[in-house]
Amino acid sequence: MIRVEHLSKHFGPVAVLTDVNAHIRQGEVISIIGPSGTGKSTFLRCLNLLDQPSSGRILIDGQDILAAGVKVAQLRQRMGMVFQSFNLFPHLTALGNLCIGPVQLRGHSRVQAAARGLELLKMVGLAEKAHSLPHELSGGQKQRVAIARCLSMEPEIILFDEPTSALDPTMVGEVLAVIRRLARDGMTLAIVTHEMDFARQVSSRVFYMDQGIIYEEGPPQQIFEAPQQQRTRDFIRRVR
Ligand code: ADP
Ligand code: MG
């Protein structure tokens, strides 16, 4: 579904991604782990062109998204993103946050969008919060609304950038439970996370990023129990 070839990204003279090669198949759940500052967020942001890659190729279903004429808005509809900081529209209710994309970008009617929005809120356990504003919700509730909003656009893959890092520890579980459910339902996911137990349980493959590349990748048993590279071993020992 996604193939990344020789991706690099510089910010001015600073090389953040140097040569990233990866693929993600449909239905896979990829966890991306590694020390901070090693380019994990930049990698996700390059995939949906929030950051413009400096060189390399990103193919989605064989189509090069860096080619001229690619519509970024369409690309972002296919690839949803959930951020650490939720990024809900503060002046819209939970349901309003779920309707705006389908109505404005996909031409759905308000009635249709609201019906689907309510279903999605129910799925993340927040039907009773449909008419609450973001500031009336807890962090965990806001993040569940953000995930539901992402789903309202019917993406083919969802990119999560540390979805639980901003949350009070008591709220981490409720958000991870929603992501687990998406994984079980066969959604394609790429998740930057520091939740190692979660990553071990939910992932089909784990990417260990370090120094601007995917240093090691493999099934969770390999990365967590028998890493092949010294740097991976050191990292896993540190975060245990
Ligand atoms: P991670 O998500 O692994 O913590 P990031 O992808 O956020 O790492 O950042 C990798 C490096 O790139 C960091 O050193 C960071 O300071 C730098 N960086 C990220 N975004 C920018 C930017 N917009 N301008 C300049 N430097 C950036
Ligand atoms: Mg980051």
Side-chain angles (χ1 to χ4, degrees):
M1 181 174 182
I2 300 182
R3 178 167 292 280
V4 176
E5 296 174 347
H6 306 297
L7 175 66
S8 75
K9 172 65 183 173
H10 309 259
F11 291 105
V14 182
V16 172
L17 301 177
T18 47
D19 184 16
V20 174
N21 293 281
H23 65 272
I24 301 175
R25 296 186 206 90
Q26 186 164 7
E28 276 196 305
V29 177
I30 304 292
S31 290
I32 303 168
I33 64 171
S36 58
T38 49
K40 302 182 300 297
S41 296
T42 305
F43 174 58
L44 284 194
R45 293 168 60 84
C46 282
L47 289 182
N48 71 359
L49 299 183
L50 284 174
D51 280 334
Q52 184 67 29
S54 305
S55 62
R57 297 212 304 166
I58 300 175
L59 306 172
I60 299 191
D61 294 332
Q63 188 202 12
D64 186 349
I65 65 169
L66 304 177
V70 169
K71 297 206 169 58
V72 173
Q74 261 173 25
L75 174 75
R76 296 206 184 124
Q77 286 184 31
R78 299 175 64 184
M79 252 196 270
M81 186 141 176
V82 173
F83 302 89
Q84 184 175 328
S85 51
F86 326 126
N87 297 10
L88 294 176
F89 298 111
H91 59 294
L92 294 178
T93 63
L95 185 58
N97 267 278
L98 270 66
C99 291
I100 187 167
V103 169
Q104 292 197 350
L105 299 171
R106 307 199 64 168
H108 292 191
S109 73
R110 286 185 176 283
V111 173
Q112 204 181 6
R116 176 71 183 139
L118 274 175
E119 265 175 43
L120 289 169
L121 284 175
K122 196 186 267 176
M123 196 199 99
V124 299
L126 290 173
E128 80 284 5
K129 299 290 183 188
H131 304 293
S132 300
L133 287 164
H135 75 85
E136 298 168 321
L137 301 173
S138 72
Q141 291 170 337
K142 278 189 265 215
Q143 192 61 301
R144 286 185 282 151
V145 172
I147 295 170
R149 179 177 61 177
C150 200
L151 292 168
S152 76
M153 297 300 285
E154 296 175 31
E156 292 161 47
I157 176 169
I158 304 182
L159 313 175
F160 289 89
D161 193 0
E162 300 198 24
T164 60
S165 294
L167 299 179
D168 187 290
T170 59
M171 294 166 186
V172 169
E174 68 197 52
V175 171
L176 294 183
V178 170
I179 302 174
R180 259 182 232 275
R181 171 163 176 181
L182 296 178
R184 212 165 37 233
D185 290 348
M187 187 80 202
T188 311
L189 308 174
I191 312 162
V192 174
T193 185
H194 294 295
E195 296 289 336
M196 295 299 152
D197 290 335
F198 170 77
R200 191 191 326 212
Q201 291 158 10
V202 84
S203 314
S204 20
R205 281 186 299 140
V206 179
F207 294 172
Y208 171 69
M209 284 191 76
D210 201 335
Q211 298 186 324
I213 60 169
I214 298 175
Y215 216 84
E216 180 168 352
E217 62 107 336
Q221 302 90 301
Q222 172 190 328
I223 300 295
F224 292 108
E225 312 302 337
Q228 309 290 301
Q229 303 290 335
Q230 188 60 45
R231 295 185 76 93
T232 321
R233 273 196 287 276
D234 292 343
F235 177 78
I236 295 296
R237 199 174 301 133
R238 263 204 320 278
V239 297
R240 274 265 162 79

